[in-house]
Amino acid sequence: MGGDHGPSVVVPGVRSYVRSSGGEGVRFLLHGDEAQIRAELARCALPSDLIDIRHTDKVVAMDEKPAQAMRRGKGSSLWNAVEAVKTGEAGGVVSAGNTGALMAISKLILRMSAPGLERPAIVASWPTFKGHTAVLDVGANIGSDAEQLVEFAIMGEAFQTAVRGVARPTIGLLNVGSEDMKGNEQVKEAHAILRDGPFDLNYHGFVEGDDIAKGTVDVVVTDGFTGNIALKTAEGTARYISALLREALTSSLQAKLGAAVAMPALKKMREKIDPSAINGGPLLGLNGIVVKSHGGADAKGFGNAIRIAVDLARSDYMAKVGANLGKLDAVFDHSSPAAAPAGAPLPGEPLQ
């Protein structure tokens, strides 16, 4: 029921996923207003044995504060969908709704997958010259200490294997330079732990901002404040370049003729940077699969978010993350709250 379009995108998104993947072995529980959902199902002509509807007229508003959603959200479509993952009725949940509410409710119901984890991290699939790079965190944690950055590396590596099929992903730590002496204390400490720690990770070292689009590494690790700014900057730059290109290609008859000749190459470029093709940001670190779709995603984009959830649910992602997070005890003492490393996340809600 959330996002900019509600069932009018979610139901066609289910159809998009089924058509693109075949939908074998996957069924859907759609939580929300039954009348609206059935109207969309009739338009999409989806088989009835593929979908169960779980009616509720209670909805978490897109502008509702996370704290309010936790207090008043029980019985809502968002709450019930996450609850289905906890009970094992669903293998994962996909939502285009309120980001802060989804994160807060998911953490409350599913809990974190390891004692040291503070809150989930949001991962973005970033198009590069070599394919896609996983970048995390891109907005869930405003500030992150060294331990959290190591956790992000562990979760990002497992995600890239599960969703992109990369056998041994390379991991880079985002910094202002590649030299060991650069960066703040949290970044330098995380660098030392990833380089020398007991983890079976393919750690590359420091990377800089331009390395993301180059595809220098398969996973880029950073705090949510930096990651969110990088993501929004890239999105804005892509829109700016697209607008300039459109203006240039329609500025004259000669330009339009040139655009017609170049159309196959232009379509290929558009497919490469199409937001729908990379929509779907999993909340990593929870005891369950939760994927956040962009609120303005179209049906193709929502279908891609479903694909990510299915791939994660079918993989050994949770076991792989758990095995490496268990090794954190050899580096950080979790025996008491006082022993936690300095630099805990700043208070506040996740970035939108």
Side-chain angles (χ1 to χ4, degrees):
M1 302 303 295
D4 296 347
H5 310 290
S8 65
V9 157
V10 172
V11 177
V14 171
R15 180 181 60 185
S16 174
Y17 169 78
V18 172
R19 285 181 174 177
S20 63
S21 69
E24 186 176 350
V26 181
R27 296 184 66 256
F28 298 90
L29 307 177
L30 301 186
H31 297 262
D33 183 271
E34 184 169 6
Q36 291 187 52
I37 294 171
R38 287 203 181 279
E40 292 299 329
L41 287 174
R43 275 191 279 271
C44 290
L46 283 165
S48 58
D49 61 348
L50 189 70
I51 291 167
D52 286 340
I53 300 174
R54 303 296 165 86
H55 173 74
T56 178
D57 54 9
K58 191 172 182 180
V59 176
V60 173
M62 292 297 288
D63 59 353
E64 197 163 342
K65 297 293 184 183
Q68 294 174 326
M70 285 194 292
R71 286 196 302 267
R72 305 195 299 234
K74 191 169 184 179
S76 66
S77 55
L78 193 155
W79 184 290
N80 292 349
V82 177
E83 189 76 41
V85 176
K86 181 184 178 182
T87 62
E89 188 179 20
V93 58
V94 182
S95 173
N98 183 318
T99 303
L102 177 65
M103 180 170 295
I105 289 173
S106 297
K107 184 180 177 184
L108 177 68
I109 294 175
L110 299 175
R111 305 296 181 183
M112 302 304 295
S113 60
L117 287 175
E118 292 286 338
R119 62 168 66 180
I122 302 176
V123 59
S125 293
W126 204 294
T128 73
F129 289 115
K130 299 178 181 179
H132 293 89
T133 290
V135 181
L136 72 164
D137 179 27
V138 292
N141 301 270
I142 297 176
S144 300
D145 59 26
E147 181 176 3
Q148 286 180 304
L149 293 174
V150 174
E151 291 165 354
F152 297 165
I154 291 168
M155 295 188 292
E157 188 249 10
F159 166 82
Q160 197 71 340
T161 298
V163 174
R164 299 295 173 192
V166 183
R168 190 164 168 74
T170 53
I171 300 167
L173 194 58
L174 191 62
N175 199 2
V176 294
S178 58
E179 298 85 359
D180 284 356
M181 75 287 297
K182 288 193 174 180
N184 58 34
E185 291 307 311
Q186 290 86 355
V187 168
K188 288 192 282 189
E189 184 183 353
H191 170 65
I193 294 168
L194 288 168
R195 182 190 59 203
D196 305 324
F199 313 104
D200 183 24
L201 298 174
N202 190 6
Y203 180 58
H204 171 87
F206 288 140
V207 293
E208 298 181 67
D210 61 339
D211 286 309
I212 301 177
K214 288 179 185 176
T216 302
V217 292
D218 300 305
V219 179
V220 173
V221 174
T222 187
D223 63 89
F225 185 85
T226 305
N228 190 269
I229 290 175
L231 180 66
K232 298 291 177 60
T233 301
E235 289 174 344
T237 302
R239 285 192 292 269
Y240 172 66
I241 292 173
S242 295
L244 284 181
L245 187 61
R246 190 179 301 110
E247 182 181 347
L249 293 175
T250 57
S251 59
S252 66
L253 178 60
Q254 187 176 11
K256 290 177 182 179
L257 290 172
V261 173
M263 190 57 66
L266 292 172
K267 283 184 177 179
K268 189 174 181 180
M269 185 188 77
R270 184 174 62 186
E271 289 170 2
K272 181 77 173 177
I273 62 173
D274 181 7
S276 297
I278 56 172
N279 180 56
L283 307 187
L284 302 183
L286 294 163
N287 275 317
I289 306 302
V290 179
V291 176
K292 175 65 175 73
S293 167
H294 195 290
D298 59 12
K300 180 183 174 183
F302 198 86
N304 189 70
I306 293 172
R307 181 191 64 79
I308 290 174
V310 171
D311 288 346
L312 284 173
R314 285 176 167 168
S315 73
D316 63 348
Y317 163 78
M318 299 294 291
K320 189 171 183 181
V321 167
N324 260 325
L325 287 179
K327 297 176 184 177
L328 277 174
D329 291 332
V331 181
F332 295 95
D333 181 10
H334 296 143
S335 58
S336 68
L346 300 176
E349 296 164 359
L351 299 170
Q352 299 296 311

